[in-house]
Amino acid sequence: QLFNGKLLVRTGAAKVMARPAIDLLAPNVTCTTGSGDPARGGDGTDDCTAGNPNLKPYRATKYDLSVEYYPSRDTQVSLATFRTDIGTYVRKGIVNRGVNFYGDGRLFDVTQAINGEGAKTQGIELAGRTALSFLPGWLSNFGVDANYTRMAFSYAKGNELISPLDGTVLPYPGLSKNSYNLGLWYDDGNFNARLAYAYRDKYYTGNNDVSGNPNFADKTGYLDAKIQWKASKNFTLALEAKN
């Protein structure tokens, strides 16, 4: 016990594996003759899209540690740290240029999924939630949730993802440096409502465009609302909005 509350420590480790999507593994290829014609806006080399049956699965080892403090029965504050050691992962939409795909001397620019190898992601998360039960009357039915996560990454030496635009190291695909969630809710047993906002920084999608340049998703924020009325034991009516 700590200050009349409870302190809880959790830790965990796991080895995980996930197979690539079936469509990425399919042994097929589609080549468009004349697509590289400069008169049609091409770069002089015809284009192909192909599956990659040689893709390795996603493999990683995950480690987690969290410290949670409960000062009262309706309040929680926690701090967590986590790390993922990634052996292999999948990158989609990668363009390999000048490939003798059919072994007959013809060269193609081939877009397909490939493996990335050797990376680490790590971060911390600060979270808190409480029911505002100390407020008077109907205000005591309100509550607040919030969390903030900060992430970092690193690559094994020689396995960095490099931007062809300026030679800089690209972020690990799908990783936002900062993200957070805020929620305000109300619940009196028969009626409940929730307003939630979620934000994340821009991130590298892991895909490249037809010129081989990396694609990034802009920073995003989402505001969602939901109200729900329990009309009877067997009937509930809900209205939800997303932005």
Side-chain angles (χ1 to χ4, degrees), residues 80-221:
T81 180
F82 48 90
R83 189 183 84 193
T84 303
D85 294 334
I86 303 166
T88 55
Y89 54 97
V90 176
R91 301 179 61 203
K92 296 184 292 184
I94 305 302
V95 180
N96 296 313
R97 301 190 176 280
V99 179
N100 186 4
F101 202 78
Y102 294 101
D104 58 4
R106 291 181 298 164
L107 300 181
F108 295 90
D109 292 340
V110 181
T111 300
Q112 64 182 164
I114 66 172
N115 280 117
E117 298 187 3
K120 179 194 298 182
T121 61
Q122 55 194 6
I124 59 171
E125 180 187 63
L126 179 64
R129 54 184 58 89
T130 185
L132 304 180
S133 54
F134 56 87
L135 295 177
W138 61 274
L139 293 175
S140 63
N141 296 321
F142 279 98
V144 179
D145 299 337
N147 66 64
Y148 167 76
T149 302
R150 186 173 181 87
M151 296 283 295
F153 70 94
S154 61
Y155 294 110
K157 187 176 179 63
N159 289 289
E160 298 87 352
L161 304 184
I162 304 298
S163 170
L165 293 176
D166 55 13
T168 58
V169 176
L170 290 166
Y172 183 77
L175 184 148
S176 293
K177 187 174 183 179
N178 298 285
S179 61
Y180 62 85
N181 296 274
L182 300 172
L184 175 66
W185 51 267
Y186 176 90
D187 191 347
D188 65 7
N190 292 320
F191 177 83
N192 65 73
R194 181 176 181 85
L195 186 66
Y197 180 77
Y199 168 87
R200 68 180 297 181
D201 283 346
K202 72 174 184 178
Y203 61 93
Y204 173 44
T205 65
N207 298 333
N208 295 356
D209 63 21
V210 294
S211 299
N213 299 318
N215 290 331
F216 283 81
D218 289 336
K219 61 183 180 181
T220 54

Side-chain angles (χ1 to χ4, degrees), residues 11-34:
T11 185
K15 281 187 173 252
V16 297
M17 180 180 72
R19 184 180 64 182
I22 292 295
D23 61 313
L24 301 181
L25 290 167
N28 56 25
V29 58
T30 300
C31 296
T32 305
T33 301

